[in-house]
């Protein structure tokens, strides 16, 4: 197995200050193994562990690293190994921890490169060796797939879209017939193939409106009817009352940008109507929240501008390819966490690819009139984000922490 950087065995710590919050930064590796991560107590020792790529770093100090999967090996293609952040990508695009077979042990869901299968690595309950891997969905399209309870049964679905495979490798993006929707897991056979539940008709051949690299996807109750709706850059799809059969969901057009990252639904200004939070363009600039008006239309409130000039002189950053909501300061309001994706398309691609890979949280505050603002607070300038990250409890205190995996390495930020 290829040896990673020696500093893996002697994790680095440095203090970081963000507004009134401060963090300890721990660097687990500077190698590129993944662009997303999963966090859970995988070995039942009472401490949270970090899974990124084919490795698990064991808590509480994250100094011991074990492999739970076989090291990837490819001699060609965008994911050629060893993974090179300057020129390529990773087989581990996004990861989530969940106990799929309800045996009390957390498994690991891995969304690979867009269009690749969704894989579940089954926790062997402490036994050594590679975990058994199950392909539960053949074509998981999209740049921001998630694990979300969409049908209200208390168990999650795969929030991704999909498209037909095509035999002609020269056919545009390699897929056609794209449909928005989600994949429903059979919880009587959780390691079997999930069934795709389309919510739109199929695209016509070579129509790239919905294809494997489509950016921006999310879920939330937009209209307040108690059912989860699905969002994309051009609007949102209303979940019907009857989900027993597949059907096209009612589409409500809206302009949420050109496709960013994970999209979130929350009543930002506490007016009783749920709003939308999203990055505007994953490989350029922009972060906004969209206030829902009484008539169902949306008013955009810009947090970070959409041009280089808007974000000059430290006012902002580009390539917001991962977004999470979490109450970072314990005031009862969820804050935005995001940052700059490191080398999304290599060292020459997109806007300012070599600018500092920053990590921020944006503090939500409301005034007496109910007006909402998001105040930027820098956490770090030498980590950034990937395509997904973890925000939640890592150590024994009640304060939320952050775990990042991307082309710059794997990092743990524990709040002091």
């Amino acid at each position: 197995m290829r040896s990673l950087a020696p500093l893996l065995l002697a994790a680095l710590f440095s203090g970081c200050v963000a507004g009134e919050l401060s963090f300890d930064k721990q660097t687990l590796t500077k190698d590129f193994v993944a662009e997303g991560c999963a966090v859970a107590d995988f070995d039942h020792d009472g401490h949270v562990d970090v899974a990124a790529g084919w490795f698990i770093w064991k808590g509480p100090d994250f100094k011991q690293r074990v492999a739970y999967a076989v090291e990837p090996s490819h001699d060609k293609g965008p994911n050629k190994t060893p993974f090179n952040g300057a020129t390529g990508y990773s087989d581990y695009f996004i990861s989530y921890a969940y106990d799929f077979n309800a045996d009390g042990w957390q498994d690991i869901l891995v969304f690979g490169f867009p269009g690749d299968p969704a894989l579940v690595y089954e926790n062997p309950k402490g036994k050594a060796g590679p975990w058994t891997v199950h392909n539960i969905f053949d074509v998981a399209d999209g740049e921001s797939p998630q694990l979300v309870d969409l049908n209200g049964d208390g168990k999650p679905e795969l929030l991704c879209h999909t498209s037909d495979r095509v035999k002609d490798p020269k056919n545009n993006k390699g897929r056609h017939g794209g449909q928005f929707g989600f994949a429903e897991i059979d919880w009587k056979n959780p390691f079997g193939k999930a069934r795709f539940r389309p919510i739109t008709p199929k695209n016509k051949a070579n129509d790239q409106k919905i294809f494997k690299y489509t950016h921006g996807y999310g879920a939330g109750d937009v209209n307040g009817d108690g059912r989860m709706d699905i969002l994309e850059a051009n609007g949102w799809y209303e979940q019907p009352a009857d989900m027993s059969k597949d059907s096209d969901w009612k589409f409500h057009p809206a302009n949420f940008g050109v496709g960013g990252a994970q999209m979130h639904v929350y009543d930002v200004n506490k007016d009783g109507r749920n709003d939308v939070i999203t990055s505007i363009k994953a490989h350029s600039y922009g972060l906004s929240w969209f206030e829902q008006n009484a008539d169902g239309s949306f008013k955009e409130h810009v947090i970070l501008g959409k041009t280089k000039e808007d974000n000059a002189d430290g006012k902002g950053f580009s390539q917001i390819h991962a977004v999470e909501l979490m109450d970072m300061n314990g005031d009862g309001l969820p804050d935005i966490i995001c940052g700059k994706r490191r080398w999304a398309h290599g060292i020459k691609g997109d806007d300012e690819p070599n600018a500092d890979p920053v990590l921020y949280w944006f503090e939500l505050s409301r005034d007496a009139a109910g007006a909402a603002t998001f105040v930027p607070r820098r956490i770090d300038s030498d980590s950034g984000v990937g395509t997904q990250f973890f925000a939640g409890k890592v150590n024994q205190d009640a304060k939320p922490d952050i775990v990042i995996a991307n082309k710059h390495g794997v990092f743990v930020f524990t709040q002091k």
Side-chain angles (χ1 to χ4, degrees):
M1 178 176 288
R2 179 172 58 93
S3 175
L4 298 187
L7 58 80
L8 191 68
L9 300 178
L12 305 176
F13 289 83
S14 62
C16 307
V17 177
E20 76 281 9
L21 305 185
S22 59
F23 296 81
D24 281 326
K25 176 184 178 183
Q26 186 174 357
T27 302
L28 306 190
T29 181
K30 290 292 288 181
D31 284 302
F32 173 32
V33 296
E35 294 211 65
C37 58
V39 176
D41 181 5
F42 295 111
D43 56 5
H44 275 206
D45 69 350
H47 299 289
V48 165
D49 312 303
V50 172
W54 57 103
F55 293 114
I56 291 175
W57 284 265
K58 292 190 173 186
D61 59 12
F62 306 115
K63 292 182 179 181
Q64 182 183 1
R65 187 202 74 200
V66 297
Y68 73 91
V70 176
E71 180 179 3
S73 178
H74 316 291
D75 60 3
K76 58 183 178 180
N79 301 356
K80 181 179 178 180
T81 52
F83 301 138
N84 185 340
T87 59
Y89 305 93
S90 166
D91 287 346
Y92 295 81
F93 212 67
I94 284 174
S95 296
Y96 290 97
Y98 190 77
D99 181 6
F100 279 81
N101 57 351
D103 64 355
W105 294 73
Q106 294 287 309
D107 310 302
I108 300 173
L109 167 68
V110 173
F111 288 104
F113 194 71
D116 286 350
L119 305 175
V120 174
Y121 290 83
E122 181 181 358
N123 195 318
K125 304 178 185 178
K127 295 180 181 178
W131 296 15
T132 301
V133 60
H134 305 273
N135 176 352
I136 67 168
F137 192 61
D138 288 330
V139 182
D141 283 343
E143 298 252 351
S144 307
Q146 297 159 60
L147 191 62
V148 179
D149 181 8
L150 284 159
N151 59 15
D153 66 354
K155 294 183 178 180
E157 283 71 50
L158 307 179
L159 180 59
C160 60
H161 48 279
T162 195
S163 53
D164 295 336
R165 295 184 182 277
V166 294
K167 295 181 180 180
D168 182 3
K170 297 180 181 180
N171 185 320
N172 212 352
K173 299 294 183 178
R175 297 281 190 269
H176 69 84
Q179 293 177 278
F180 286 129
F182 61 95
E184 201 168 53
I185 298 166
D186 178 2
W187 291 106
K188 295 180 180 178
N189 181 27
F191 296 137
K193 289 294 174 69
R195 182 173 77 90
F196 186 64
R197 302 292 307 271
I199 66 170
T200 64
K202 284 188 177 182
N203 279 112
K204 296 179 181 179
N206 298 321
D207 180 353
Q208 294 302 305
K209 180 178 182 293
I210 305 173
F211 70 119
K212 67 177 182 177
Y213 300 124
T214 297
H215 288 71
Y217 215 39
D221 183 6
V222 178
N223 59 354
D225 65 358
R227 296 187 291 269
M228 295 288 278
D229 308 303
I230 291 179
L231 303 94
E232 49 104 351
N234 299 294
W236 62 280
Y237 294 85
E238 181 180 349
Q239 183 176 152
D242 183 4
M243 282 278 288
S244 60
K245 296 180 181 179
D246 292 344
S247 64
D248 295 343
W249 292 13
K250 182 179 179 180
F251 178 60
H252 300 265
N255 181 4
F256 297 132
V258 297
Q262 295 82 10
M263 302 175 72
H264 299 271
V265 176
Y266 175 69
D267 184 1
V268 173
N269 56 355
K270 204 176 180 180
D271 65 356
R273 295 184 294 270
N274 283 335
D275 311 303
V276 175
I277 298 169
T278 183
S279 59
I280 301 303
K281 189 175 182 180
H283 300 293
S284 186
Y285 298 95
L287 176 68
S288 295
W289 72 275
F290 293 81
E291 178 184 0
Q292 186 172 177
N293 299 314
D295 63 358
S297 63
F298 290 88
K299 176 183 178 182
E300 182 177 7
H301 297 266
V302 174
I303 301 171
L304 294 180
K306 302 174 186 178
T307 68
K308 182 176 180 178
E309 291 72 25
D310 291 334
N311 296 279
D313 301 321
K315 296 176 183 176
F317 47 90
S318 65
Q319 307 200 50
I320 303 173
H321 212 300
V323 177
E324 291 293 337
L325 293 187
M326 178 64 58
D327 180 5
M328 294 301 295
N329 56 1
D331 65 356
L333 302 178
D335 308 297
I336 298 173
I337 310 166
C338 62
K340 180 183 179 67
R341 182 180 172 193
R342 175 68 167 178
W343 288 351
H345 289 143
I347 59 177
K348 296 181 179 180
D350 309 310
D351 293 287
E352 298 185 296
N354 296 302
D356 289 345
V358 295
L359 178 64
Y360 271 78
W361 70 284
F362 290 77
E363 181 182 3
L364 172 59
S365 62
R366 300 182 182 128
D367 63 21
T373 57
F374 286 95
V375 179
R377 311 285 191 190
R378 181 177 290 200
I379 298 172
D380 185 56
S381 59
D382 192 27
S383 54
V385 299
T387 52
Q388 170 256 348
F389 60 90
F390 173 85
K393 186 176 178 180
V394 170
N395 55 18
Q396 298 300 317
D397 64 27
K399 299 176 182 178
D401 310 299
I402 302 169
V403 183
I404 303 288
N406 63 8
K407 293 180 179 181
H408 206 43
V410 180
F411 309 92
V412 176
F413 293 89
T414 51
Q415 193 174 162
K416 295 180 181 179

